[in-house]
């Protein structure tokens, strides 16, 4: 399907991630550069259904590259999961004479974009924006690097108090289905143990490891726990189990929660978002669509949306092996 692209809609969907604003800025300014119209869709797919649109130009996105969150907002939309809801959304886009759409988000957002494209043949490009870094087809997602830096800073501060009081801290980080944040921050912060969904360590092995740390002379310990880890029912139950079986430890729990999504995006995330935003618009101008644009070996590459959704971004097994060596 060859189509002349004159007007592009851009939206953010799913969980917010630092760098989304940089991606929005790149899309809008690239549209201006190529003399295309651009409209921003507020509140993701729900905004599509309700016609919550705003024309955007180069000046609309000044001073947002450094801001966290998303100026276009994000929201869940049960209605968009229905055929009737998607028909409303497409009708609104038709009334605005939109020729294509760029969706910034994660695999759930891409699933909605793919279904929408298949039903109405509207050209769509996906830009991966999620702190979890769990999207197949890209080495890094927008927001991941900033989240790592946020977690590292928090763990360093927790380490100070852990050392002062000879305590064992369980620090829960985000990652319901993927342990990328936990693994990388665990290595970067020098954690004694790292618990991730991809590897069920088991309670007995965890106890053995902590006993070994105690025997080696460590007066305090940090255990990084991905929220999707299967070692215990939850981080608080895990802490209670360890305290019961290892009474020599004074155990504390810190859940970092949504602070990991906030904050000014790192330079890496700003540059990544800018590169992907520019490329997304240029791909549409080349009549390439229903794909995700990502970064592989520092090169901008594309992958079909269906592969990005169904593929699995595997954990770095070598880094996992190294974490065992470095935790001595």
């Amino acid at each position: 399907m060859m189509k002349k692209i004159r007007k592009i809609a851009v939206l953010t969907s799913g969980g917010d991630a630092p760098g989304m604003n940089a991606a929005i800025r790149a899309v809008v300014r690239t549209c201006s550069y190529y003399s295309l119209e651009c409209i921003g869709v507020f509140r993701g797919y729900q905004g599509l259904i309700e016609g919550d649109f705003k024309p955007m130009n180069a000046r609309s996105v000044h001073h947002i590259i450094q801001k966290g969150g998303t100026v276009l907002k994000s929201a869940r939309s049960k209605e968009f999961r229905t055929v009737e809801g998607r028909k409303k959304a497409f009708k609104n886009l038709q009334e605005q004479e939109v020729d294509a759409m760029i969706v910034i988000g994660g695999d759930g957002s891409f699933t909605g974009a793919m279904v929408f494209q298949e039903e109405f043949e509207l050209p769509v490009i996906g830009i991966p924006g999620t702190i979890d870094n769990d999207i197949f087809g890209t080495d890094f997602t927008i927001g991941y690097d900033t989240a790592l830096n946020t977690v590292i800073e928090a763990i360093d501060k927790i380490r100070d108090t852990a050392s002062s009081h000879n305590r064992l801290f369980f620090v829960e980080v985000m990652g319901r289905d993927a342990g990328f944040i936990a693994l990388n921050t665990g290595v970067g912060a020098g954690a004694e143990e790292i618990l991730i969904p991809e590897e069920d360590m088991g309670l007995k092995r965890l106890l053995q490891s902590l006993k070994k740390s105690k025997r080696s002379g460590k007066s305090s310990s940090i255990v990084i726990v991905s929220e999707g880890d299967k070692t215990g029912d939850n981080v608080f139950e895990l802490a209670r189990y360890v305290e019961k079986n290892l009474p020599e430890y004074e155990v504390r729990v810190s859940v970092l929660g949504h602070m990991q999504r906030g904050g000014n995006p790192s330079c890496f995330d700003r540059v990544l978002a800018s590169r992907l935003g520019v490329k997304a618009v240029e791909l549409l101008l080349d009549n390439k669509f229903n794909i995700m644009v990502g970064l592989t070996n520092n090169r901008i590459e594309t992958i079909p949306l269906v592969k990005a959704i169904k593929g699995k971004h595997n954990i770095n097994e070598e880094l996992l092996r190294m974490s065992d060596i470095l935790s001595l």
Side-chain angles (χ1 to χ4, degrees):
M1 178 183 69
M2 297 297 290
K3 187 172 185 178
K4 178 71 173 176
I5 303 296
R6 298 184 180 87
K7 192 171 186 178
I8 296 174
V10 59
L11 63 84
T12 52
S13 177
D16 61 293
M20 280 185 165
N21 284 327
I24 295 167
R25 173 181 179 270
V27 169
V28 172
R29 291 199 168 177
T30 306
C31 285
S32 294
Y33 180 84
Y34 286 108
S35 300
L36 304 173
E37 290 185 74
C38 185
I39 63 169
V41 181
F42 288 86
R43 296 177 296 116
Y45 291 125
Q46 191 60 34
L48 271 187
I49 292 171
E50 297 176 8
D52 195 358
F53 304 144
K54 179 184 177 181
M56 303 184 80
N57 56 39
R59 300 283 68 79
S60 303
V61 292
H62 74 293
H63 297 164
I64 70 168
I65 193 172
Q66 79 279 12
K67 293 181 179 179
T70 163
V71 296
L72 291 179
K73 313 297 183 184
S74 185
R76 297 187 185 280
S77 178
K78 291 183 180 179
E79 193 176 357
F80 192 77
R81 296 179 182 180
T82 67
V83 175
E84 293 76 15
R86 293 191 294 273
K87 284 181 178 178
K88 286 182 189 177
F90 183 64
K91 184 171 181 267
N92 288 333
L93 289 175
Q94 281 185 309
E95 289 175 354
Q96 291 290 324
E97 297 182 331
V98 169
D99 301 307
M101 185 168 68
I102 293 175
V103 175
I104 306 167
D107 56 0
S109 303
F110 292 165
T111 299
M114 185 178 69
V115 172
F116 197 63
Q117 192 278 327
E118 290 173 349
E119 289 178 342
F120 304 107
E121 296 188 343
L122 181 78
V124 172
I125 298 285
I127 296 178
T130 168
I131 68 167
D132 290 333
N133 201 46
D134 58 351
I135 304 297
F136 182 75
T138 184
D139 292 340
F140 302 101
T141 57
I142 296 169
Y144 175 59
D145 183 71
T146 305
L148 292 181
N149 292 325
T150 298
V151 172
I152 282 288
E153 183 179 358
I155 294 173
D156 286 347
K157 292 176 179 179
I158 290 171
R159 174 78 75 178
D160 290 342
T161 192
S163 299
S164 298
H165 295 275
N166 296 335
R167 286 173 176 160
L168 164 62
F169 266 86
F170 283 88
V171 181
E172 184 185 270
V173 300
M174 283 185 166
R176 187 173 294 108
D177 302 308
F180 295 101
I181 293 177
L183 178 57
N184 281 270
T185 58
V187 172
E192 278 65 39
E193 282 299 339
I194 303 167
L195 308 182
I196 57 177
E198 291 86 349
E199 182 184 68
D200 187 354
M201 183 179 193
L203 291 170
K204 288 185 179 180
R205 186 177 149 203
L206 175 61
L207 290 178
Q208 290 172 354
S209 175
L210 293 173
K211 287 178 181 177
K212 184 178 178 181
S213 293
K214 199 73 172 177
R215 287 196 302 269
S216 71
K218 289 187 178 182
S219 59
S220 64
S221 293
I222 300 286
V223 177
I224 308 298
V225 184
S226 183
E227 62 181 319
D229 174 64
K230 302 174 181 62
T231 304
D233 292 334
N234 59 63
V235 68
F236 294 99
E237 287 293 329
L238 193 60
R240 280 192 284 269
Y241 177 84
V242 170
E243 196 164 37
K244 179 181 177 181
N245 288 274
L246 297 176
E248 62 269 30
Y249 273 113
E250 187 179 352
V251 183
R252 294 289 185 273
V253 174
S254 182
V255 178
L256 300 187
H258 286 78
M259 69 177 291
Q260 296 161 84
R261 285 189 184 171
N264 299 337
S266 65
C267 180
F268 181 89
D269 276 327
R270 298 183 199 194
V271 174
L272 173 64
S274 298
R275 293 176 70 183
L276 299 185
V278 170
K279 188 63 175 180
V281 174
E282 292 180 338
L283 286 166
L284 288 171
L285 288 174
D286 288 339
N287 250 271
K288 296 176 182 176
F289 57 90
N290 206 19
I291 55 179
M292 183 196 79
V293 57
L295 187 74
T296 303
N297 297 324
N298 203 33
R299 291 175 58 87
I300 302 297
E301 304 285 355
T302 62
I303 183 174
L305 275 178
V306 64
K307 286 189 176 181
I309 295 164
K310 294 184 177 181
K312 183 173 176 57
H313 189 179
N314 293 320
I315 206 81
N316 188 327
E317 295 291 342
E318 177 62 13
L319 193 60
L320 190 61
R321 185 185 70 85
M322 287 170 50
S323 70
D324 288 334
I325 296 172
L326 297 174
S327 65
L328 291 175

